């Protein structure tokens, strides 16, 4: 387990991979994220408010090539970063980052960096995954800086990717070649 220092030295944040027992906390945080920062995600609040825990468990833990890293303050989930691998024969060399979120009170403390580092380290162990993709709303400048500092490079932009009421949000597409991620030697052969 890895810990990230909090505001006070005596407290630590636990960063670990989530399991089905964390479904309640994951769903709570997902709804919080969609309610508080709707332009950061392509999903909508309405899509998640109706989900039950069994559906969350099925979606999140139905594949060996998908996982979610989570940061906990005591038992409360404060941040997440998800990964899934493409399934197609011609696209299995690609992994995707989805739903990166840190609660406002924990931002600026390195929680997002710790979550992404843990996610990328594990992604590099998935046999055959050579690159990791993500998309990020152009309004999320702090997230873009984090991803660039980890080695992600922009490769395109989709104008008007999201529509929230009468406003449009552009999304930037980014890629990381795992061989360029510090200290990681990705596995060579896909199963």
């Amino acid at each position: 387990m890895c810990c990230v220092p909090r505001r006070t030295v005596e407290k630590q944040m636990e960063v670990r991979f989530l399991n089905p027992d964390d479904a309640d906390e994951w769903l709570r945080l997902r709804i919080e994220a969609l309610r508080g920062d709707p332009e950061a995600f392509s999903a909508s609040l309405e899509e998640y408010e109706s989900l039950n825990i069994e559906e969350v468990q099925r979606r999140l833990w139905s594949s060996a090539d998908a996982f979610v890293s989570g940061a906990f303050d005591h038992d409360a989930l404060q941040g997440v970063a998800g990964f899934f691998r493409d399934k197609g024969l011609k696209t299995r060399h690609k992994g995707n980052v989805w739903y990166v979120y840190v609660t406002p009170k924990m931002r600026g403390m390195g929680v997002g960096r710790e979550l992404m580092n843990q996610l990328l380290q594990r992604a590099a162990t998935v046999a055959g995954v050579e690159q990791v993709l993500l998309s990020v709303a152009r309004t999320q400048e702090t997230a873009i800086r984090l991803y660039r500092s980890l080695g992600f490079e922009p490769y395109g932009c989709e104008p008007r990717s999201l529509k929230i009421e009468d406003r449009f949000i552009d999304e930037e597409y980014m890629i990381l070649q795992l061989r360029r991620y510090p200290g990681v030697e990705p596995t060579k052969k896909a199963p």
Side-chain angles (χ1 to χ4, degrees), residues 7-162:
R7 285 189 180 123
T8 56
V9 177
E10 67 273 2
K11 291 190 177 188
Q12 295 288 314
M13 177 156 294
E14 178 188 14
V15 178
R16 65 173 171 78
F17 293 106
L18 302 186
N19 62 59
D21 293 336
D22 299 314
D24 284 328
E25 271 300 291
W26 183 91
L27 184 56
R28 178 198 61 76
L29 191 66
R30 181 66 165 164
I31 290 171
E32 173 187 314
L34 293 171
R35 184 174 285 131
D37 206 358
E39 67 184 37
F41 306 101
S42 59
S44 70
L45 178 61
E46 296 78 15
E47 293 170 302
Y48 281 84
E49 285 182 319
S50 63
L51 285 183
N52 61 44
I53 296 307
E54 292 76 24
E55 178 64 16
V56 170
Q57 290 172 330
R58 188 189 65 72
R59 286 183 183 194
L60 293 180
W61 293 280
S62 62
S63 168
D65 294 343
F67 47 86
V68 178
S69 182
F72 288 84
D73 181 17
H74 297 95
D75 291 332
L77 189 59
Q78 300 294 322
V80 292
F83 174 88
F84 69 92
R85 177 200 202 147
D86 278 14
K87 300 290 183 211
L89 290 175
K90 295 180 180 180
T91 59
R92 291 181 56 74
H93 67 288
K94 295 188 280 187
N96 298 275
V97 174
W98 65 279
Y99 180 38
V100 178
Y101 177 75
V102 176
T103 60
K105 75 177 186 173
M106 303 308 291
R107 292 177 187 165
M109 296 185 196
V111 175
R113 178 173 301 281
E114 183 68 23
L115 288 166
M116 286 297 296
N117 279 326
Q118 185 181 64
L119 178 143
L120 292 170
Q121 290 287 333
R122 183 163 171 188
T125 68
V126 178
V129 172
E130 298 174 19
Q131 61 193 35
V132 178
L133 308 170
L134 61 79
S135 65
V136 57
R138 282 256 171 108
T139 58
Q140 302 300 304
E141 294 172 5
T142 302
I144 292 170
R145 282 194 303 274
L146 169 63
Y147 301 144
R148 286 184 180 180
S149 76
L150 292 169
F152 282 87
E153 298 174 346
Y155 68 89
C157 174
E158 182 181 351
R160 299 167 56 113
S161 177
L162 304 176

